[in-house]
């Protein structure tokens, strides 16, 4: 159990002393960029899905008719 506690203690100390944390404004800027990219990617994925749904439905309608 002491090894586990020692590990967490050392990890926490490393986070406090050796990690360079970004400024709050930088975090906000990157959060907005990631959110916008996520929305754009979701819309593109939806568009491709709709396209293939209609293409496959049209293909099967041609086979029926």
């Amino acid at each position: 159990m002491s090894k586990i506690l020692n590990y967490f203690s050392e990890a926490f100390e490393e986070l406090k002393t050796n990690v360079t944390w970004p400024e709050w404004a930088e975090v906000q800027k990157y959060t907005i960029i990631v959110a916008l990219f996520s929305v754009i990617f979701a819309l593109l994925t939806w568009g491709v899905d709709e396209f293939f749904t209609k293409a496959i439905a049209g293909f099967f309608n041609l086979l029926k008719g």
Side-chain angles (χ1 to χ4, degrees):
M1 185 68 169
S2 67
K3 287 184 178 182
I4 294 172
L5 291 175
N6 188 35
Y7 170 79
F8 282 113
S9 174
E10 289 177 3
F12 184 73
E13 187 63 30
E14 174 118 8
L15 285 172
K16 281 183 7 184
T17 58
N18 296 336
V19 174
T20 304
W21 297 99
E23 296 294 323
W24 182 243
E26 189 178 8
V27 171
Q28 288 176 326
K29 180 177 77 170
Y30 288 137
T31 301
I32 291 169
I33 291 170
V34 168
L36 286 175
F37 178 78
S38 297
V39 169
I40 291 168
F41 188 74
L43 289 173
L44 287 172
T45 303
W46 172 78
V48 169
D49 181 57
E50 285 294 315
F51 171 77
F52 280 109
T53 299
K54 291 181 193 301
I56 291 171
F59 175 73
F60 283 116
N61 283 336
L62 284 174
L63 290 177
K64 279 183 183 177

